[in-house]
Amino acid sequence: MAFDKFQLYGLLSWFMVLNGLHHFYFNVKSQSLITYGLIKFYCCIHHALSVLALGRMIYVYHDNPSICVSFLIIAGVMASCIRKCWERKMSLKRIMVKLVFLEKHEFTGFKSGPKLRLRCYMKSLFVAITFIRIHFFYPTYMKRFSKDLYILDICSYWLLYNMLLAEVFAYYCVLWQTCRGFYILNLQLSVSRRKKQLLKLLQIYGQLLKLSTQMNKVYEYSGVFLCASKCWYQIAFGYEIFVILALPKSSFNAKLTMAMKVFIILTFILDAINLYLATDLADEFNKLREQTRRILRESRQFNRLVSIFSLQLCLYPERVMFLNAFAFDRRLTFTLLTKSLLFTICWLQGDYAKLKE
């Protein structure tokens, strides 16, 4: 039996549940989202353990700025995830229900296009690489800083970082599914010739516009903290890379094996690529919206209907925005990378005398 898209949705929903993001799952047979009492109980335990793990890590490593800041940023992501999981409105579930409904009734049978498929495969690959890295290689990196109860430290790190990784992937999946909807609708709008068919497509497009606005509001806080975490990891690992390359005879380098140096450099590169892939998809979101406006401008039929929808289109944000202040796009990637480099250099200047010893 072929592995279809809805089975993939089911696996992804359980991956999110295991990391405490929400207390509902996708039932493949009924093709609907179902809330289950035992999952709520599991989420309660998961969130309680996460808070305890976070408190312990911050308390134990409060004198290590690199690790402490990392966990403070993860605390922001965790707080946002817990808030979304237990809010009464259940905005996240409503968005996913509508996305599943549109996929089931309007988009099934349509291909996503080579660009979107490639982005999906690339992001999935890098998420898998990140998962392997934090579970099999990062414990060795953490051993340098561990004081007591090393196994407990690693378990705490796994619990917290898995939630962060799941939140990144969940947001990417929702954004990708929205882009898929825009892509399919643009294809149909460009060949539509009947007024009734055009009206239906514009109504579906209007639903996707509302969903994209709701998506921005649901993920706005976690999105800001996720960008901050990427920026901080670039600073922390960039600091170590500069020391490795610029001060090869320092005491810092003497403590690192060649395998550890390679791990630090590869981690820096992989985190930068992960950030680029996420904002690259957000840029595709912007391009699809621009393509819609171009299709509507070139349309010579049903001008009144098209004009009304064009006005509605202008009322919705053209970009993926966080807190109505940060545009999540490719420019943000380069801004974060340059700022990370600047702060890394400032950090190195402050520690230069100590590092030379």
Side-chain angles (χ1 to χ4, degrees), residues 15-16 18-21 46 50 54 69-82 84 123 127 130-131 133-135 156-172 219 221-233 271 274:
F15 177 68
M16 308 309 170
L18 287 174
N19 289 288
L21 297 192
H46 187 281
S50 298
L54 180 67
V69 173
S70 299
F71 281 101
L72 285 173
I73 295 172
I74 291 176
V77 179
M78 186 186 73
S80 176
C81 293
I82 293 174
K84 290 202 303 285
K123 188 62 179 180
V127 166
T130 303
F131 186 82
R133 172 166 58 88
I134 65 176
H135 281 273
S156 299
Y157 177 81
W158 283 340
L159 186 69
L160 295 169
Y161 201 93
N162 278 342
M163 181 181 283
L164 185 146
L165 180 62
E167 180 72 350
V168 169
F169 196 42
Y171 176 70
Y172 189 89
Y219 282 100
Y221 292 105
S222 61
V224 170
F225 282 112
L226 288 170
C227 288
S229 70
K230 291 294 183 185
C231 186
W232 174 249
Y233 281 119
D271 281 342
N274 260 320

Side-chain angles (χ1 to χ4, degrees), residues 253-350:
N253 270 316
K255 299 175 184 178
L256 295 177
T257 63
M258 181 55 68
M260 185 57 63
K261 293 176 183 179
V262 172
F263 170 78
I264 291 170
I265 294 171
L266 287 178
T267 298
F268 180 87
I269 295 171
L270 288 172
D271 281 342
I273 294 174
N274 260 320
L275 178 62
Y276 176 80
L277 288 176
T279 54
D280 191 44
L281 182 65
D283 264 353
E284 186 65 20
F285 179 94
N286 305 337
K287 291 176 184 177
L288 289 168
R289 288 286 303 276
E290 180 60 35
Q291 184 185 27
T292 304
R293 285 196 295 271
R294 180 181 58 77
I295 292 170
L296 295 177
R297 283 197 304 267
E298 294 174 355
S299 176
R300 300 298 181 186
Q301 298 178 338
F302 322 122
N303 289 331
R304 184 172 176 274
L305 184 62
V306 169
S307 298
I308 292 172
F309 182 77
S310 298
L311 290 173
Q312 182 185 1
L313 190 66
C314 294
L315 296 176
Y316 289 90
E318 297 179 6
R319 297 177 177 272
V320 180
M321 299 289 294
F322 294 140
L323 301 174
N324 291 325
F326 302 99
F328 191 66
D329 54 19
R330 198 173 297 169
R331 185 183 299 175
L332 179 65
T333 301
F334 297 117
T335 301
L336 289 178
L337 290 176
T338 53
K339 293 296 183 184
S340 300
L341 181 62
L342 175 63
F343 287 123
T344 301
I345 294 172
C346 292
W347 190 2
L348 281 166
Q349 286 178 334

